[in-house]
Amino acid sequence: MRPNIYYSKRVGILGSGLTLFRSKMLETPQELAFIAARRALDEAGLELKDIDCVVIGSAPDAFDGVHMKGEYLAHGSGGIRKMVSRVYVGGATGVMVPISGWYHVASGLCEKVLVVAEEKMSGDLPHPQAIFRYIWDPITEKPLNPNLIWIFAMEMHRYMKKYGIKKEDIALVSVKNKRNAINNPYAQLPGQITVDDVMNSEVLVWPVQRLDISPTSDGAAAMVLASEDVTRRYTDTPVWIEGVGWTLDNTSWPGRDLFYPRYLENAAKMAYRMAGIERPNKEIDVVEPYDPFDYKELHHLEGLQIAGRGQAPFLLKEGFFDLDGDIPSSPSGGLLGVGNPIAAAGLMKTISIYWQLKGIAGKMQVKRPVKTGVAQAWGDLMQASTVIVMRN
Amino acid sequence: MHKVAIVAMGWYGFRPLTPEVSFREMVFEAATRAYAMADIDPRKDVDTFISCQEDFWEGISIADEFAPDPIGGSMRPTMTVSGDGIQGIVHGAMQILSGISKITVVESHSKPSDIEKIHKIVEFGMDPIYVRTVKSPNVHFLAGLDASKFMKKGYTREDFAEVVRKNKVNGLSSPRSSYASKLSLEDILSQDYVVYPLSKLDIAEYVDGSIVSVLASEEVARKLTDTPIWIDGMYFSSDSTLELSYLGEAEYLTISSREALKMAKVDSPTKLKGGFIDDRYSYKELEHVESIGLNAREMLREGELEKDGDFPVNPLGGHLAKGIPLEASGLSLTLDGFEYLLSGKESAIVASWRGIPTFTGGVLVMRR
Amino acid sequence: MEIHEEKRLEHPLSKEELDKRPKIEYKPYAKYSYSAGQAITKFLEGLKEGKIYGRKCRKCGRVYVPPRMYCEDCFRPTDEWIEVKDEGIVMTAVASFISWTRERLESPEIVGVIRLFPSSDRDFVYPALFHRICCSYEEVKDMSIMGRKVKAIWKSKEKREGSINDIDCFKVI
Ligand SMILES: [Zn+2]
């Protein structure tokens, strides 16, 4: 591991906050954002007046039913009479928010930044799925009346076909993550399930079945980031953001081979170069890859260069990614176990790595000592990835 | 702190209707022009890309999907800032200052002509629980409230008409001004009210357009051009929600200009040589000029805001002459400022607002 | 765990509890008439004639279907219109038992991606369409449809209107 030679300013993490992730919450989006933000401030030992800038992340405006959702969420997120803006890369937003928080601080413009991500999907009628119809190309794709699960199913099937992977091997991700979520007090769908449970669950869009998918959720997450000086003043056990990377592939997803997320490889290499990581499968101790669907975790472990192409299912079977494995994956329980309030879920994954590196993950704490952790999110039309590397 | 410069800008459209091109083709045209001016290859030379857009302006959920291709940003670090182009420029500058980028591209575009009823989309931006339910017949009601409060500071209908006259005639010197015209004060004052105290001429129209800007670090900027336009100061901010924000003043620009001027080490905006200031409602130009720390009423009445005055405001016409290109509005004002400085002027302040129902705006202090 | 012993502020609800709470319904009026632009206009006109048009970049050789007026890889305008075949290889296929509003479907709808010719199986990017595939659920489930050669089944000339739906589906030949 080489020290980071490219960037002079270090950025640390001072606190984190989450709401419960649940299918239906009484609170408005603003109130959910407030609860998470307040908890992050409390953990950091700060008040809103200490915060210079706020960065907000949220996925489609249509979910919360407000145009310019960043403006609406600013209030609950503490973005009052200060610099506040919203960043957006579809489902990959949750990890883009701390990346943006990182450059707010690393640029020298801000010293203490509050990053907040929120999603409320329970208000959508007739179903959140209907919202996703509008993510497709309005002229060449939407007339086919697609639903979101179609593209996931298409990608999953291509991945299975390319490497001869069985559905049973992919179902193990769901089993692992829901099991890990039993240790997570915020989780919506923890549980001991079996591969058979997944295989016998309702077929939605073959090869995708009900238990291959994370649920829709309401929830929010927040973090406080700060400059090196401030971080050292407030904590003796700092966790640093040491690498960030993001990439968008082109819009024309049908014209790309879906078996491999080349855009994630790009984003990961950008973050690893910055963090001085040369051998990701040796130097990374714990990882939170984005898992809205079970095969996605495997796909992403390959894109992150932690597993070779087509190899992730075999490593998974051997227990390599278990809590006591070589590189524990989704120790939080992931989206499959904790829930999927889109942008908040990505930030929850970043927070999970922070807990691990800080040593405060409680029952979620992985068995081996950890020095370097990675969180990742994914989004748009099989197109976007965001990667963050943290160290203690 | 290191500096960031704008080294090139390109634009396309700025017409009320652009049925012959898709928004993507329009963005490609603007990008091509910006890259030609900077003499760079976006596929090799640009480190990060930023697009500024909002889903409901585009009519696409997750409009970010369409961001990369037309600006050369596919398989590169591209992201969306869901906000005004000025916010995008500040994000871009922060990426450069953080060391992660040497050249960053900031894009924004608008195609309101594709939207059937744009006022319904504006209404959809209001708080769902206690503002939309008011069911006002007219989205400009918020501007009417704000303007009435503002008039209590001693401004008159004639002052607002003067802004309309000035900006519409200034626009005649810019090729982007679809709504420029030469009107008399009587023409303007004889219009019916849309919402008191505003008539149709006090309210800027929408326009289709795209703008792409190229930002560079100090070292790279000096290599790329002999005339980099430096961003000496920058900031953006939001006030609060509707019921908690200050009406009759633009707190978002007071905060933003205070911080941006401090960063630029400028103790008073009067030291600058002109302003490119949001005028999507005539009175807003005056409110915004006040909020950056100037006596707008006196300056207007003394003719100081005129093109040949001491502190020209919107000498190329502003939004009243060019139209509102949605999230590209901040870039439209920045582009005017950029051209103004390239023509030989020394410095300028750009002050943008996101429009109703927001209390969000941003400021750039630019120097040649 | 230590950090999560906060006072509970949030209120998860069951469906029944949620239904009892006051709610404000709002149906956004969000309607658009998207400008198809130069590339897609010609593409739709082609479909009406029973042809699939693409744009080719002479610099890198890439063919864009659906067409683009610019090459995203080279960042330059594409050079020429070419007609690609209405035949290709099924790259992936799935069987949907739910509609776009998530209602249950009696018999599954089968859709997938078709890599159109000219292209080769070594390409990572290629001209392609996302469309319906006329085949059985079994052929999807056992993956045998993937890799098969298929051809477009066009609507009759009178019924074509310049839409992606002018093709009924792609079918094995
Ligand atoms: Zn090319």
Side-chain angles (χ1 to χ4, degrees):
Chain A
M1 186 176 76
R2 292 180 296 108
N4 181 349
I5 53 171
Y6 297 101
Y7 304 88
S8 52
K9 293 194 180 75
R10 274 183 128 184
V11 178
I13 302 169
L14 282 187
S16 66
L18 282 178
T19 65
L20 298 176
F21 284 9
R22 289 293 182 270
S23 65
K24 292 165 192 68
M25 295 276 237
L26 175 63
E27 284 70 23
T28 64
Q30 288 173 332
E31 289 163 350
L32 289 172
F34 165 76
I35 294 170
R38 185 64 253 175
R39 284 179 181 155
L41 287 170
D42 287 345
E43 190 182 307
L46 295 174
E47 286 301 325
L48 188 56
K49 64 173 171 46
D50 303 318
I51 296 293
D52 303 312
C53 312
V54 176
V55 185
I56 295 172
S58 202
D61 297 52
F63 279 139
D64 296 54
V66 193
H67 167 50
M68 293 183 164
K69 187 157 58 161
E71 299 289 339
Y72 166 75
L73 278 178
H75 196 241
S77 308
I80 301 162
R81 300 194 180 105
K82 54 184 78 198
M83 184 186 273
V84 53
S85 56
R86 168 181 171 215
V87 296
Y88 191 23
V89 275
T93 300
V95 173
M96 195 70 223
V97 194
I99 291 175
S100 185
W102 172 84
Y103 64 69
H104 273 68
V105 178
S107 68
L109 240 73
C110 308
E111 214 172 40
K112 302 183 211 81
V113 174
L114 179 60
V115 302
V116 183
E118 183 277 344
E119 217 80 51
K120 186 173 175 85
M121 300 163 81
S122 61
D124 303 325
L125 299 172
H127 189 274
Q129 275 299 338
I131 304 285
F132 279 118
R133 188 165 172 235
Y134 293 89
I135 73 169
W136 306 80
D137 185 290
I139 297 166
T140 60
E141 294 171 1
K142 202 167 65 187
L144 299 169
N145 280 331
N147 72 56
L148 179 74
I149 301 173
W150 285 13
I151 32 175
F152 286 99
M154 283 188 266
E155 189 180 61
M156 178 172 177
H157 227 186
R158 174 68 188 140
Y159 177 60
M160 289 165 66
K161 173 80 175 175
K162 174 83 177 175
Y163 301 115
I165 298 165
K166 289 202 188 67
K167 263 220 70 174
E168 287 81 351
D169 296 338
I170 289 174
L172 279 172
V173 174
S174 236
V175 174
K176 167 178 74 69
N177 289 3
K178 287 182 192 293
R179 183 176 66 225
N180 288 353
I182 294 172
N183 300 321
N184 190 331
Y186 297 94
Q188 179 178 339
L189 282 180
Q192 289 284 1
I193 63 162
T194 64
V195 169
D196 280 346
D197 292 336
V198 180
M199 297 301 293
N200 293 330
S201 62
E202 181 191 11
V203 176
L204 300 173
V205 182
W206 183 265
V208 172
Q209 291 172 268
R210 162 127 300 289
L211 289 177
D212 291 311
I213 311 189
S214 57
T216 57
S217 314
D218 294 354
M223 272 176 126
V224 178
L225 312 183
S227 64
E228 178 163 10
D229 291 357
V230 173
T231 304
R232 290 197 190 282
R233 223 181 301 146
Y234 279 84
T235 177
D236 297 328
T237 52
V239 174
W240 307 103
I241 295 174
E242 303 243 308
V244 298
W246 68 99
T247 293
L248 249 67
D249 207 327
N250 62 45
T251 315
S252 329
W253 64 272
R256 281 186 261 128
D257 203 328
L258 297 174
F259 77 89
Y260 184 69
R262 60 174 184 173
Y263 47 87
L264 171 52
E265 177 177 339
N266 230 46
K269 285 184 171 165
M270 177 178 170
Y272 296 162
R273 196 164 49 243
M274 185 174 156
I277 293 174
E278 283 164 356
R279 295 169 306 156
N281 60 342
K282 298 276 186 272
E283 295 173 40
I284 293 167
D285 303 308
V286 58
V287 62
E288 282 277 0
Y290 202 59
D291 63 325
F293 288 58
D294 46 11
Y295 81 95
K296 270 278 158 199
E297 175 156 330
L298 303 170
H299 214 226
H300 290 151
L301 287 164
E302 293 173 14
L304 284 165
Q305 317 298 304
I306 289 174
R309 294 190 187 190
Q311 295 304 303
F314 303 101
L315 290 170
L316 174 73
K317 226 172 175 173
E318 287 165 13
F320 190 87
F321 300 121
D322 286 347
L323 283 185
D324 56 358
D326 290 37
I327 304 182
S329 179
S330 294
S332 65
L335 281 53
L336 288 160
V338 190
N340 187 9
I342 316 223
L347 188 54
M348 178 277 287
K349 290 209 145 234
T350 311
I351 290 171
S352 164
I353 295 296
Y354 161 70
W355 289 341
Q356 293 289 340
L357 294 171
K358 187 109 177 155
I360 55 172
K363 284 192 218 152
M364 286 175 274
Q365 193 72 41
V366 302
K367 297 295 169 283
R368 51 176 291 184
V370 286
K371 172 76 194 157
T372 303
V374 169
Q376 174 254 338
W378 166 94
D380 290 2
L381 289 167
M382 330 304 264
Q383 184 183 6
S385 260
T386 44
V387 177
I388 191 165
V389 180
M390 290 172 272
R391 288 203 181 92
N392 55 21
Chain B
M1 192 182 263
H2 295 286
K3 289 206 290 188
V4 176
I6 303 177
V7 296
M9 294 185 84
W11 62 274
Y12 191 79
F14 279 85
R15 278 174 279 133
L17 299 168
T18 49
E20 76 286 6
V21 281
S22 66
F23 76 89
R24 290 190 255 185
E25 289 162 357
M26 205 163 66
V27 173
F28 174 76
E29 294 298 335
T32 301
R33 284 156 176 76
Y35 302 150
M37 182 178 182
D39 194 19
I40 55 169
D41 175 355
R43 303 300 291 155
K44 298 196 191 84
D45 302 326
V46 176
D47 298 306
T48 58
F49 297 83
I50 294 173
S51 171
C52 300
Q53 53 191 339
E54 285 279 3
D55 283 5
F56 279 95
W57 292 142
E58 306 287 326
I60 295 171
S61 218
I62 322 188
D64 179 62
E65 297 160 358
F66 294 83
D69 308 7
I71 48 174
S74 81
M75 284 301 283
R76 310 298 300 280
T78 300
M79 63 176 289
T80 290
V81 172
S82 313
D84 180 62
I86 291 256
Q87 292 174 296
I89 287 200
V90 178
H91 274 257
M94 287 193 285
Q95 289 179 2
I96 290 171
L97 294 171
S98 75
I100 207 163
S101 169
K102 287 191 162 55
I103 300 184
T104 293
V105 164
V106 180
E107 174 273 333
S108 187
H109 61 268
S110 68
K111 215 149 190 321
S113 65
D114 275 5
I115 305 174
E116 204 175 290
K117 290 186 182 173
I118 194 162
H119 291 156
K120 297 303 278 184
I121 305 296
V122 174
E123 181 184 286
F124 197 42
M126 297 179 185
D127 186 285
I129 296 170
Y130 59 83
V131 183
R132 266 187 235 158
T133 41
V134 172
K135 290 202 172 36
S136 160
N138 179 332
V139 285
H140 300 295
F141 81 95
L142 286 177
L145 285 174
D146 191 38
S148 302
K149 181 91 187 283
F150 181 64
M151 286 177 90
K152 298 213 170 97
K153 294 181 175 175
Y155 289 88
T156 63
R157 273 282 307 147
E158 284 70 22
D159 293 330
F160 302 166
E162 187 57 38
V163 170
V164 176
R165 189 204 54 77
K166 166 176 77 69
N167 290 1
K168 289 222 179 237
V169 76
N170 283 351
L172 292 170
S173 61
S174 167
R176 287 185 297 281
S177 302
S178 287
Y179 303 101
S181 58
K182 197 166 186 316
L183 298 172
S184 69
L185 277 186
E186 293 70 43
D187 293 339
I188 300 163
L189 287 167
S190 63
Q191 295 279 326
D192 292 338
Y193 292 124
V194 173
V195 172
Y196 178 82
L198 307 171
S199 77
K200 191 169 183 292
L201 287 174
D202 290 285
I203 302 170
E205 303 278 349
Y206 291 101
V207 71
D208 291 0
S210 60
I211 300 179
V212 171
S213 44
V214 181
L215 311 184
S217 67
E218 181 166 2
E219 190 194 351
V220 172
R222 289 192 197 281
K223 276 184 209 152
L224 287 176
T225 172
D226 296 335
T227 52
I229 302 301
W230 302 106
I231 302 174
D232 280 1
M234 56 184 158
Y235 211 80
F236 59 83
S237 63
S238 297
D239 191 346
S240 186
T241 56
L242 175 62
E243 73 284 12
L244 298 171
S245 293
Y246 301 112
L247 285 182
E249 46 196 287
E251 178 73 5
Y252 46 92
L253 283 189
T254 305
I255 297 168
S256 298
S257 59
R258 185 184 67 217
E259 297 298 323
L261 290 167
K262 192 160 66 184
M263 188 173 164
K265 301 191 172 68
V266 174
D267 52 20
S268 160
T270 53
K271 303 270 170 70
L272 302 171
K273 304 297 179 200
F276 296 84
I277 292 173
D278 179 279
D279 62 332
R280 61 182 77 205
Y281 296 102
S282 56
Y283 82 93
K284 268 286 181 186
E285 173 172 306
L286 299 170
E287 186 185 289
H288 289 154
V289 168
E290 259 201 3
S291 63
I292 64 170
L294 296 169
N295 186 335
R297 190 179 54 210
E298 204 167 281
M299 289 172 82
L300 177 81
R301 291 178 187 174
E302 301 290 324
E304 289 178 35
L305 305 182
E306 294 286 345
K307 205 171 194 167
D308 54 1
D310 287 351
F311 188 84
V313 168
N314 293 323
L316 295 173
H319 298 323
L320 285 167
K322 297 201 174 61
I324 302 168
L326 303 177
E327 302 306 344
S329 296
L331 294 185
S332 176
L333 297 170
T334 304
L335 176 55
D336 285 357
F338 182 74
E339 290 178 346
Y340 181 72
L341 296 181
L342 284 184
S343 77
K345 303 296 193 296
E346 191 186 294
S347 61
I349 184 167
V350 178
S352 178
W353 172 47
R354 284 194 82 194
I356 277 179
T358 81
F359 291 85
T360 295
V363 168
L364 302 179
V365 177
M366 306 204 297
R367 192 176 292 280
R368 188 182 157 99
Chain C
M1 54 191 291
E2 308 93 289
I3 57 172
H4 301 122
E5 302 302 326
E6 315 98 326
K7 196 167 152 256
R8 169 86 79 78
L9 296 168
E10 59 270 57
H11 301 81
L13 300 174
S14 68
K15 173 134 194 355
E16 294 69 39
E17 288 169 324
L18 185 72
D19 287 344
K20 274 184 237 152
R21 299 278 175 173
K23 272 194 294 291
I24 288 148
E25 286 207 12
Y26 183 85
K27 192 168 169 23
Y29 186 96
K31 290 194 180 157
Y32 307 84
S33 50
Y34 307 98
S35 309
Q38 300 175 28
I40 300 298
T41 300
K42 171 89 176 172
F43 175 69
L44 297 175
E45 284 166 7
L47 293 173
K48 207 168 174 181
E49 301 161 27
K51 291 177 176 165
I52 302 174
Y53 283 119
R55 285 288 290 186
K56 183 172 179 174
C57 170
R58 283 194 195 138
K59 191 172 174 205
C60 67
R62 190 168 162 190
V63 175
Y64 287 86
V65 175
R68 301 274 181 264
M69 295 313 289
Y70 47 87
C71 174
E72 72 208 19
D73 290 329
C74 306
F75 204 75
R76 58 190 290 279
T78 46
D79 301 281
E80 59 182 326
W81 288 102
I82 61 164
E83 188 189 338
V84 302
K85 292 200 165 178
D86 63 350
E87 292 173 16
I89 299 291
V90 177
M91 296 302 289
T92 182
V94 303
S96 182
F97 288 89
I98 53 173
S99 74
W100 68 274
T101 53
R102 218 195 166 293
E103 275 145 35
R104 198 78 201 156
L105 298 175
E106 280 295 314
S107 58
E109 185 171 14
I110 294 167
V111 295
V113 172
I114 300 95
R115 167 168 59 78
L116 298 170
F117 301 137
S119 62
S120 100
D121 58 10
R122 287 182 305 276
D123 296 343
F124 193 88
V125 292
Y126 34 71
L129 283 181
F130 157 54
H131 221 291
R132 290 178 287 270
I133 297 170
C134 286
C135 72
S136 70
Y137 178 37
E138 275 57 48
E139 288 167 279
V140 175
K141 213 167 170 186
D142 66 15
M143 297 198 207
S144 63
I145 188 67
M146 289 191 259
R148 295 293 299 273
K149 193 171 159 188
V150 290
K151 186 174 170 61
I153 306 296
W154 294 88
K155 280 204 170 85
S156 63
K157 202 161 190 301
E158 320 70 81
K159 286 191 182 151
R160 293 201 291 256
E161 52 188 14
S163 149
I164 193 72
N165 282 320
D166 289 349
I167 295 173
D168 271 331
C169 69
F170 282 81
K171 196 171 179 180
V172 174
I173 38 173

